[in-house]
Amino acid sequence: RSHEHCKLEEGCEKGLEQARQGLAGDETVKDGVTLYLLQSVDQLLLSATKERIDFLPHYDTLVKSGMYEYYASEGQNPLPFALAELIDNSLSATSRNVAIRRIQIKLLFDETQGKPAVAVMDNGRGMTSKQLNNWAVYRLSKFTRQGDFERRKVCAAGLFDTCTATQPLWDPFLCPCAVGCGVMTGEVEHWMIWPVLNSRFGPFCVSPVGTFKSDHSGYVRPVPVPRSLNSDISYFGVGGKQAVFFVGQSARMISKPADSQDVHELMLSKEDFEKKEKNKEAIYSGYIRNRKPSDSVHITNDDERFLHNLILEEKEKDSFTAVVITGVQPEHIQYLKNYFHLWTRQLAHIYHYYIHGPKGNEIHTSKEVGPFNNIDIEISMFEKGKAPKIVNLREIQDDMQTLYINTASDSFEFKAHVEGDGVVEGIIRYHPFLYDKETYPDDPCFPSRLKDDDDDDDCFILEKAARGKRPIFECFWNGRLIPYTSVEDFDWCTPPKKRGLAPIECYNRISGALFTNDKFQVSTNKLTFMDLELKLKDKNTLFTRILNGQEPQALYDEIKTVPIAKLDRTVAEKAVKKYVEDEMARLPD
Amino acid sequence: RSHEHCKLEEGCEKGLEQARQGLAGDETVKDGVTLYLLQSVDQLLLSATKERIDFLPHYDTLVKSGMYEYYASEGQNPLPFALAELIDNSLSATSRNVAIRRIQIKLLFDETQGKPAVAVMDNGRGMTSKQLNNWAVYRLSKFTRQGDFERRKVCAAGLFDTCTATQPLWDPFLCPCAVGCGVMTGEVEHWMIWPVLNSRFGPFCVSPVGTFKSDHSGYVRPVPVPRSLNSDISYFGVGGKQAVFFVGQSARMISKPADSQDVHELMLSKEDFEKKEKNKEAIYSGYIRNRKPSDSVHITNDDERFLHNLILEEKEKDSFTAVVITGVQPEHIQYLKNYFHLWTRQLAHIYHYYIHGPKGNEIHTSKEVGPFNNIDIEISMFEKGKAPKIVNLREIQDDMQTLYINTASDSFEFKAHVEGDGVVEGIIRYHPFLYDKETYPDDPCFPSRLKDDDDDDDCFILEKAARGKRPIFECFWNGRLIPYTSVEDFDWCTPPKKRGLAPIECYNRISGALFTNDKFQVSTNKLTFMDLELKLKDKNTLFTRILNGQEPQALYDEIKTVPIAKLDRTVAEKAVKKYVEDEMARLPD
Ligand SMILES: Nc1ncnc2c1ncn2[C@@H]1O[C@H](COP(=O)(O)OP(=O)(O)OP(=O)(O)O)[C@@H](O)[C@H]1O
Ligand SMILES: Nc1ncnc2c1ncn2[C@@H]1O[C@H](COP(=O)(O)OP(=O)(O)OP(=O)(O)O)[C@@H](O)[C@H]1O
Ligand SMILES: [Mg+2]
Ligand SMILES: [Mg+2]
């Protein structure tokens, strides 16, 4: 289309726009009447008109994004789950750290240092200014954004950065550590297994440059790892924004990638949005400041004077990200101060397997730093005139998973294969009745009501013993707890209708955990699964028992697993018996 | 600032922008290096720079808004809840209808008429083109938008439009039907009660013009009505968009307000967003078509030929809105076809009290049209070569609330006053064990597992009898069900620790419903309450019994209600006894 034509159209649109704004302004033309702007006096009136409109999302999209998503439907304060979103981001960002992965949550509540603030810092890969810009784009996720990913190195288990292999191998079982590398090409997910070698640090691998002609994005799906601890917990492009605006009124993002000389800084605040709206400025525009590390001359506001120290620390860091939330809601400050023990324990629970590794917090494991306990999540709270409270989540010994693991007398592992690549690992633990007492751990957040009842032993009490009404399974997605979804039970672990071999009370002494990969969907706030129970209870889902870390197929070649749906249920018992007898008869003595 | 200066800045920004795009484009300048654009050769290099950025929300904000919000955490298909969002909008839009409020959901699955479509239509107030534009603005809610509300007439119960009263009255109890008018001024909500008169149609009232100097918006909070059936169910500015993009890939909004000659039409589609992104056009711009009623010449696409008939119907309508969703997900079509009975029953449950009035679907009520059963919600499904399936939700007799109401042998009403104007009405119903059978209705969605068990009577069975493990209370917000939140019980309706007067099994034969006003928060998808249980179990919450529709204060002046928290719990039983005796002694014989 010609430039001329284009200009004409533009002029026309502007006219329409002005007319429309005039409508709203002086109201001489009432709503409900369509105003026809004629180009010339003799122009024919069209029977229908097209009116150009704009419908930019309101800035509440960002500012209130956290408000109604972090609901407290279960009577819990959702604040720990907002903090978890920021930890998720730091876990993703540090996934390729070779040395320790350090994540710090600092509660800066010392008024002599400025107004209350919450800072979440990590020594991860940091963000370029382009990536920092992308951070602020609501709903821009790794699946939709372009060129913001490294397209060369993909490391198994997301743990390491050194990639040396040269030849692709197509057999996943040749991989010495049962991990491979995944590559997503185009629209269809297509898996290729690349050679995996061992190094001092653990498994790593490489996929050759140029494989990614995907128009989708450079996103590379993580390789399967035990308990799906792949650190790939960024999904929707909303978590960080929801979290900061749930906690407070403004966020300063400070970040530096390793190969940059500069630190990039971006501030988003509710106040700023309101000002831009009032002044009719572009709502979704702002500035990134590029500055030298440790340069804090731009911090002139006394409320944020704690930032000078924080920024000074930058000198020692190669790459990092710091999220500094100010305008913290007063009720959050109260909660963070008064329930320090409670919410730190909750975080220890959410990230239990990231902190302790796939086997969890077993008492008798060596405490050497390995690929599975190089994640330090440290919480510190600073108050005026008090010694700072500091805790590393790994030290916490009373989170629910630790309690389950340490009271279990036995456990049983299984795996469920769901149609469409969904894999769920599961564990069931048994907590016996020992020395006159249930050993099933009580949930400090939901203590069983009849805990201290000792004189009553009728039916109503029995059903509340041990696990009580709680469901059996807690559910983890990509290794982290999805706190509001639980699975009550499976057919094979509910009390039978007729009394069976085990006393009926035993069924209430079981706890369990499920670990899914990212083939299951969670809601954007990561509080609930969307489809876990539906998929698990699908007739084509295949459960197998895991013995010594392996599925039966690998242990006993001759065992065949047949999906329940494919069994012929119409066959009479007699026919089965006869078949078995016939087969037995054929066997050599 | 001068025009000159402004131009300079703009030029500078453009330069920077080009530089930034260049960075991404030819990649000769690597990420991580800040490019300094100098205005002149001798300009001093600044130590820090500001880089202008844009961070427009990604269009997935709209297109995927429904995807991860409508999760199926309880094993339910969330599709009925998406349809409910559109019914909510139609309820709001028809709240001031004088005659019947007609809401129609049409499932257009007859392939001879075009591709599958879902249409939701109402005879409500319709939208001006400005309002239609606002519809498309994500997160723009009635609380934030300007001038889109009538600022003159506020009608009690939101039911009527004729307002004649002249003098404000300050006593709500003078209102003959216990409703009044609310006005929100400025930031603080401030309630005024205006005179309420009776007319042939019912209660109505007026607040004088000019009271609304609110900079907040013209929003008027509805007056209190029984069961909070105020039709005020639009809250966040997201529901419609989430719903249409959950159901399908594109939506055509067609609307006409009463005082307009024209019909306004707006189309949003995923495809269109993708095209705009590809062509680097403005993402959040589009066109509204203004056309004559029944003019469908613009429908040239054969896929949508059913629209010609739909549009033809416009002639008979004074004002209306139609939401036409196309690109319907195939799995939704299957579900809508195969589970017609299930999801229509679910909708009848969600809107039970809107359809049947505050007392619900009692068998022996007259079926005259009154202010509480003038809402017709009609579902119709059209398939090729089949007679259309049509059901009015009011005809459905097996939704859970109907079952609860019709099996109850007794009921008990109460009210809870929560700090900060929160009011919760509640009802408890008793479902007896009659003629050898529990009468407690089974939930067809969650049948109790041991339903057909008859030979087993041990402890484990007992706890699953009647209500089983289900919580007592279903919860309604502004009169409509919030399906994923339930309240298990209250202290005063749990089985006592020691055996009391009533047999312990009785406690499991209770069902209940809670009705909150909008002082309680729900999540944006209206699936869960955020704070209901926390607030109800707060120590300052005051429960009172309702007898004959009135609180005890009004019935017996001498009864004092004391918040539980303010009772002196340390007083010995003896002291209480003595006090009572002393008081008794003082009484005249
Ligand atoms: N600590 C961090 N270090 C490096 N990059 C980060 C960090 N936090 C966020 N980012 C970048 O910003 C993006 C946006 O973060 P945000 O949490 O808002 O959404 P997301 O993580 O992509 O998706 P989700 O909604 O699942 O959280 C991330 O994808 C990541 O690229
Ligand atoms: N059927 C309708 N008739 C008239 N106006 C409507 C209709 N549907 C939507 N609207 C207008 O469009 C606006 C946006 O609707 P949408 O459902 O997206 O958000 P909302 O209803 O404001 O809030 P919520 O997120 O609670 O649904 C409504 O507030 C209302 O003004
Ligand atoms: Mg995130
Ligand atoms: Mg709505």
Side-chain angles (χ1 to χ4, degrees):
Chain A
R1 66 189 200 177
S2 78
H3 188 67
E4 276 280 54
H5 181 64
C6 183
K7 252 190 148 170
L8 201 70
E9 259 188 30
E10 263 169 33
C12 180
E13 267 164 34
K14 243 188 203 149
L16 262 172
E17 177 61 24
Q18 278 160 4
R20 212 157 45 85
Q21 296 203 341
L23 264 173
D26 62 36
E27 296 199 357
T28 49
V29 183
K30 284 270 171 298
D31 249 15
V33 174
T34 309
L35 185 74
Y36 298 98
L37 274 200
L38 307 184
Q39 303 274 274
S40 65
V41 192
D42 57 345
Q43 191 186 326
L44 242 172
L45 190 63
L46 296 166
S47 62
T49 54
K50 272 169 98 184
E51 176 184 351
R52 186 152 181 97
I53 59 155
D54 290 306
F55 49 95
L56 210 61
H58 190 270
Y59 60 82
D60 276 350
T61 302
L62 282 164
V63 170
K64 290 207 178 149
S65 59
M67 291 285 283
Y68 297 88
E69 315 303 335
Y70 291 105
Y71 45 84
S73 62
E74 319 240 340
Q76 295 179 52
N77 185 323
L79 185 56
F81 309 132
L83 296 176
E85 285 284 0
L86 299 173
I87 297 177
D88 285 349
N89 285 349
S90 291
L91 280 175
S92 301
T94 57
S95 65
R96 294 198 283 258
N97 280 24
V98 174
I100 207 86
R101 300 161 67 176
R102 184 178 306 285
I103 300 169
Q104 297 173 294
I105 300 187
K106 296 189 179 194
L107 310 176
L108 306 166
F109 294 161
D110 179 348
E111 305 94 76
T112 63
Q113 300 301 305
K115 291 242 170 98
V118 172
V120 179
M121 297 156 70
D122 65 64
N123 65 345
R125 69 182 75 97
M127 285 178 269
T128 63
S129 76
K130 176 74 190 142
Q131 286 167 334
L132 184 55
N133 185 349
N134 280 344
W135 172 87
V137 178
Y138 195 75
R139 262 292 180 186
L140 182 67
S141 72
K142 61 188 168 198
F143 303 104
T144 42
R145 84 194 144 210
Q146 302 278 344
D148 140 347
F149 266 80
E150 288 183 56
R151 300 195 168 209
R152 250 150 295 172
K153 300 175 201 160
V154 196
C155 286
L159 286 169
F160 306 101
D161 223 344
T162 335
C163 296
T164 54
T166 47
Q167 267 283 311
L169 282 172
W170 294 93
D171 186 355
F173 297 105
L174 285 181
C175 166
C177 48
V179 292
C181 273
V183 175
M184 203 168 89
T185 43
E187 283 293 318
V188 182
E189 272 169 52
H190 174 65
W191 278 82
M192 288 179 282
I193 303 301
W194 298 98
V196 178
L197 298 169
N198 266 322
S199 82
R200 194 170 64 86
F201 290 113
F204 60 86
C205 64
V206 68
S207 62
V209 183
T211 320
F212 302 83
K213 49 177 189 274
S214 152
D215 54 13
H216 207 25
S217 96
Y219 175 62
V220 177
R221 204 166 160 252
V223 295
V225 287
R227 305 303 193 218
S228 295
L229 291 164
N230 52 39
S231 298
D232 195 26
I233 337 183
S234 279
Y235 246 69
F236 305 101
V238 304
K241 283 77 81 180
Q242 288 189 354
V244 297
F245 285 112
F246 179 77
V247 176
Q249 309 253 29
S250 69
R252 194 184 283 271
M253 299 289 300
I254 311 176
S255 194
K256 178 183 173 295
D259 47 6
S260 164
Q261 307 280 342
D262 283 345
V263 170
H264 310 293
E265 208 175 302
L266 170 64
M267 177 117 181
L268 288 191
S269 79
K270 189 181 167 206
E271 199 188 331
D272 221 46
F273 281 120
E274 287 166 349
K275 211 166 72 193
K276 284 188 274 192
E277 184 185 48
K278 212 175 139 199
N279 300 341
K280 301 197 191 312
E281 291 170 340
I283 297 286
Y284 296 103
S285 288
Y287 289 95
I288 285 179
R289 173 178 296 271
N290 301 304
R291 58 165 177 80
K292 294 281 156 274
S294 298
D295 169 6
S296 68
V297 290
H298 60 297
I299 307 295
T300 50
N301 186 341
D302 223 34
D303 292 348
E304 294 185 299
R305 58 187 176 280
F306 56 83
L307 277 175
H308 295 293
N309 280 332
L310 220 87
I311 288 174
L312 212 61
E313 290 175 25
E314 290 171 2
K315 253 202 204 106
E316 295 127 45
K317 298 174 187 170
D318 192 33
S319 67
F320 67 89
T321 298
V323 185
V324 185
I325 306 167
T326 47
V328 183
Q329 307 292 342
E331 66 268 29
H332 292 334
I333 299 176
Q334 282 317 308
Y335 176 81
L336 291 169
K337 282 184 183 175
N338 298 342
Y339 298 95
F340 189 84
H341 183 73
L342 186 84
W343 62 264
T344 49
R345 181 178 53 201
Q346 248 175 305
L347 289 177
H349 183 194
I350 296 173
Y351 297 105
H352 186 93
Y353 295 91
Y354 275 104
I355 307 166
H356 299 287
K359 286 177 178 293
N361 189 14
E362 290 179 329
I363 299 176
H364 303 295
T365 1
S366 78
K367 297 292 177 194
E368 262 174 57
V369 173
F372 283 122
N373 55 357
N374 68 340
I375 300 174
D376 265 344
I377 305 179
E378 188 192 83
I379 322 275
S380 48
M381 182 159 77
F382 302 90
E383 290 173 278
K384 190 188 155 189
K386 288 189 186 174
K389 267 188 192 168
I390 302 180
V391 65
N392 185 318
L393 291 189
R394 200 182 299 109
E395 296 161 4
I396 290 177
Q397 296 298 332
D398 60 353
D399 64 287
M400 283 314 292
Q401 281 299 318
T402 298
L403 296 181
Y404 286 134
I405 291 169
N406 290 329
T407 59
S409 65
D410 202 357
S411 68
F412 170 100
E413 295 197 50
F414 59 94
K415 206 166 189 168
H417 293 272
V418 176
E419 265 192 330
D421 280 351
V423 177
V424 181
E425 295 175 70
I427 185 164
I428 271 189
R429 302 188 175 97
Y430 188 72
H431 311 275
F433 186 89
L434 263 189
Y435 312 116
D436 237 37
K437 259 202 181 128
E438 295 288 357
T439 60
Y440 198 98
D442 213 8
D443 187 337
C445 294
F446 308 98
S448 62
R449 242 186 251 111
L450 303 175
K451 199 181 165 184
D452 45 12
D453 242 3
D454 43 7
D455 54 347
D456 221 337
D457 57 350
D458 79 17
C459 285
F460 237 84
I461 305 309
L462 171 64
E463 64 113 343
K464 280 174 183 165
R467 190 177 74 246
K469 284 189 173 188
R470 281 176 281 170
I472 296 182
F473 294 99
E474 299 199 293
C475 306
F476 294 77
W477 173 82
N478 278 358
R480 76 93 117 176
L481 184 75
I482 300 299
Y484 288 173
T485 290
S486 50
V487 171
E488 178 118 9
D489 51 28
F490 294 113
D491 281 348
W492 46 266
C493 55
T494 37
K497 289 188 186 182
K498 315 276 171 209
R499 283 189 187 284
L501 286 175
I504 212 134
E505 316 87 73
C506 293
Y507 289 90
N508 234 28
R509 298 200 181 106
I510 287 170
S511 77
L514 300 173
F515 304 88
T516 84
N517 64 4
D518 62 350
K519 286 289 166 185
F520 295 82
Q521 293 185 313
V522 293
S523 59
T524 43
N525 55 16
K526 304 202 183 93
L527 291 179
T528 45
F529 275 94
M530 294 168 68
D531 53 4
L532 180 60
E533 193 148 2
L534 279 176
K535 281 188 172 172
L536 279 174
K537 298 194 170 163
D538 185 276
K539 58 184 173 20
N540 290 320
T541 295
L542 201 119
F543 283 88
T544 54
R545 181 167 181 182
I546 302 290
L547 275 170
N548 306 320
Q550 287 199 279
E551 293 185 55
Q553 291 99 316
L555 284 177
Y556 320 100
D557 272 346
E558 69 274 27
I559 289 182
K560 277 187 201 156
T561 15
V562 181
I564 292 173
K566 292 192 180 138
L567 286 175
D568 186 353
R569 285 169 179 279
T570 58
V571 168
E573 209 183 324
K574 264 187 195 163
V576 176
K577 262 195 188 146
K578 184 165 182 313
Y579 177 83
V580 173
E581 272 162 20
D582 288 357
E583 289 290 304
M584 296 290 270
R586 270 195 234 159
L587 287 176
D589 300 308
Chain B
R1 66 192 199 174
S2 78
H3 188 71
E4 276 281 55
H5 182 66
C6 182
K7 254 191 145 167
L8 201 71
E9 259 189 30
E10 261 170 34
C12 180
E13 266 164 33
K14 243 187 204 149
L16 262 170
E17 176 60 23
Q18 278 160 5
R20 212 155 47 85
Q21 297 202 341
L23 264 172
D26 62 36
E27 297 201 356
T28 49
V29 182
K30 283 269 172 298
D31 248 12
V33 174
T34 308
L35 185 72
Y36 297 99
L37 273 199
L38 305 186
Q39 303 276 274
S40 64
V41 191
D42 56 347
Q43 191 187 328
L44 243 171
L45 191 62
L46 296 166
S47 60
T49 54
K50 274 168 95 184
E51 176 184 351
R52 186 153 181 97
I53 59 156
D54 290 305
F55 50 96
L56 211 60
H58 190 271
Y59 60 82
D60 276 350
T61 302
L62 282 165
V63 170
K64 290 205 178 151
S65 59
M67 292 286 282
Y68 297 88
E69 314 303 336
Y70 291 104
Y71 44 85
S73 61
E74 319 238 340
Q76 295 180 53
N77 185 323
L79 185 56
F81 308 133
L83 296 178
E85 284 284 0
L86 299 174
I87 296 178
D88 286 348
N89 286 348
S90 291
L91 280 176
S92 301
T94 56
S95 66
R96 292 196 284 259
N97 279 24
V98 174
I100 207 86
R101 300 163 65 177
R102 184 179 308 285
I103 301 170
Q104 297 172 293
I105 300 187
K106 297 189 179 195
L107 309 177
L108 307 167
F109 295 161
D110 178 349
E111 305 95 74
T112 64
Q113 300 301 307
K115 291 243 170 97
V118 173
V120 179
M121 296 155 70
D122 65 64
N123 65 345
R125 69 181 75 96
M127 285 179 269
T128 62
S129 76
K130 176 72 189 146
Q131 286 168 334
L132 184 55
N133 184 349
N134 280 344
W135 173 86
V137 178
Y138 195 75
R139 262 292 180 185
L140 183 66
S141 72
K142 61 187 168 199
F143 304 105
T144 42
R145 83 192 146 213
Q146 302 278 343
D148 137 349
F149 266 81
E150 290 183 53
R151 298 196 170 209
R152 251 152 296 173
K153 299 177 202 158
V154 195
C155 286
L159 287 169
F160 305 100
D161 222 344
T162 334
C163 295
T164 56
T166 48
Q167 265 283 312
L169 282 173
W170 294 93
D171 188 357
F173 296 106
L174 285 181
C175 166
C177 48
V179 295
C181 274
V183 176
M184 204 169 88
T185 42
E187 282 292 317
V188 183
E189 274 170 50
H190 175 63
W191 279 83
M192 289 178 283
I193 303 298
W194 298 98
V196 178
L197 299 170
N198 265 322
S199 83
R200 195 169 65 84
F201 292 113
F204 58 86
C205 64
V206 67
S207 61
V209 183
T211 322
F212 302 82
K213 46 177 193 268
S214 153
D215 52 15
H216 207 25
S217 96
Y219 174 61
V220 176
R221 204 167 159 249
V223 295
V225 287
R227 307 304 193 214
S228 295
L229 290 165
N230 52 40
S231 297
D232 195 26
I233 337 183
S234 280
Y235 245 70
F236 305 103
V238 304
K241 283 77 81 180
Q242 287 190 355
V244 297
F245 285 113
F246 179 77
V247 176
Q249 308 253 29
S250 69
R252 193 184 284 269
M253 299 290 299
I254 312 177
S255 195
K256 177 181 172 298
D259 47 5
S260 164
Q261 308 279 341
D262 283 347
V263 170
H264 310 292
E265 209 177 300
L266 170 64
M267 177 117 181
L268 288 191
S269 79
K270 188 179 169 210
E271 199 187 331
D272 220 48
F273 281 121
E274 286 166 353
K275 211 166 72 191
K276 286 188 274 191
E277 182 184 51
K278 212 174 142 200
N279 300 341
K280 300 199 193 308
E281 290 168 339
I283 297 287
Y284 296 103
S285 289
Y287 289 94
I288 284 180
R289 172 178 297 271
N290 301 305
R291 58 165 176 81
K292 294 283 157 271
S294 297
D295 169 7
S296 68
V297 290
H298 61 297
I299 307 296
T300 50
N301 186 340
D302 223 34
D303 292 349
E304 293 185 299
R305 59 188 176 281
F306 56 82
L307 277 175
H308 295 294
N309 280 332
L310 221 86
I311 288 175
L312 212 61
E313 291 175 25
E314 290 171 1
K315 251 200 208 111
E316 296 128 46
K317 296 174 187 170
D318 191 34
S319 67
F320 68 88
T321 298
V323 185
V324 185
I325 307 168
T326 46
V328 183
Q329 308 292 341
E331 66 269 30
H332 293 333
I333 299 176
Q334 283 316 309
Y335 175 81
L336 290 170
K337 283 184 183 173
N338 298 342
Y339 298 95
F340 189 84
H341 183 73
L342 187 85
W343 62 263
T344 50
R345 183 177 52 202
Q346 248 176 305
L347 289 178
H349 183 193
I350 295 175
Y351 296 106
H352 186 94
Y353 294 92
Y354 275 103
I355 306 167
H356 299 287
K359 286 177 179 294
N361 189 14
E362 290 181 329
I363 300 177
H364 303 295
T365 1
S366 79
K367 297 291 177 196
E368 264 173 56
V369 172
F372 283 124
N373 55 356
N374 69 340
I375 301 174
D376 265 344
I377 305 179
E378 190 193 81
I379 322 275
S380 48
M381 183 158 76
F382 303 88
E383 290 174 277
K384 190 187 154 188
K386 287 191 189 175
K389 267 190 193 167
I390 302 180
V391 65
N392 184 318
L393 291 190
R394 200 181 300 110
E395 295 160 4
I396 290 176
Q397 296 297 334
D398 60 351
D399 63 287
M400 282 314 291
Q401 280 299 318
T402 297
L403 296 182
Y404 285 134
I405 291 169
N406 290 329
T407 59
S409 65
D410 202 357
S411 69
F412 169 99
E413 296 199 47
F414 58 95
K415 205 165 191 171
H417 293 272
V418 176
E419 265 191 330
D421 280 349
V423 176
V424 181
E425 294 174 71
I427 186 162
I428 271 189
R429 301 188 176 96
Y430 188 71
H431 310 275
F433 186 86
L434 264 189
Y435 312 115
D436 239 38
K437 257 201 181 128
E438 294 288 356
T439 60
Y440 198 100
D442 215 8
D443 188 338
C445 296
F446 308 99
S448 61
R449 243 187 248 110
L450 303 175
K451 198 179 165 183
D452 46 11
D453 243 3
D454 45 5
D455 55 346
D456 219 338
D457 58 351
D458 80 13
C459 286
F460 237 84
I461 304 307
L462 173 64
E463 64 113 344
K464 279 174 187 168
R467 190 176 73 247
K469 283 189 174 189
R470 281 177 281 169
I472 295 182
F473 294 99
E474 298 199 294
C475 305
F476 293 78
W477 173 83
N478 279 356
R480 74 94 115 183
L481 184 76
I482 300 300
Y484 288 173
T485 289
S486 51
V487 170
E488 179 119 7
D489 52 27
F490 295 112
D491 282 348
W492 46 267
C493 55
T494 37
K497 289 187 185 181
K498 315 279 171 205
R499 284 189 188 282
L501 286 176
I504 213 134
E505 315 89 73
C506 293
Y507 290 90
N508 236 28
R509 298 199 183 107
I510 287 170
S511 79
L514 300 174
F515 303 90
T516 84
N517 64 4
D518 62 350
K519 285 290 167 183
F520 295 82
Q521 295 184 315
V522 294
S523 59
T524 43
N525 55 15
K526 305 203 182 91
L527 291 179
T528 45
F529 275 94
M530 292 168 70
D531 50 6
L532 180 60
E533 192 148 0
L534 279 177
K535 281 188 172 173
L536 279 174
K537 298 194 171 161
D538 186 276
K539 58 182 171 24
N540 290 319
T541 295
L542 201 117
F543 283 89
T544 54
R545 181 168 181 186
I546 302 289
L547 274 170
N548 306 319
Q550 288 200 278
E551 293 186 54
Q553 290 100 317
L555 285 178
Y556 320 101
D557 272 347
E558 69 276 24
I559 290 179
K560 279 186 201 157
T561 15
V562 181
I564 292 173
K566 290 190 182 143
L567 286 175
D568 187 351
R569 286 169 180 281
T570 58
V571 168
E573 206 184 324
K574 264 188 198 164
V576 176
K577 262 196 189 149
K578 185 163 181 311
Y579 177 82
V580 173
E581 273 162 22
D582 288 355
E583 290 287 306
M584 297 289 269
R586 267 195 236 161
L587 287 177
D589 299 307

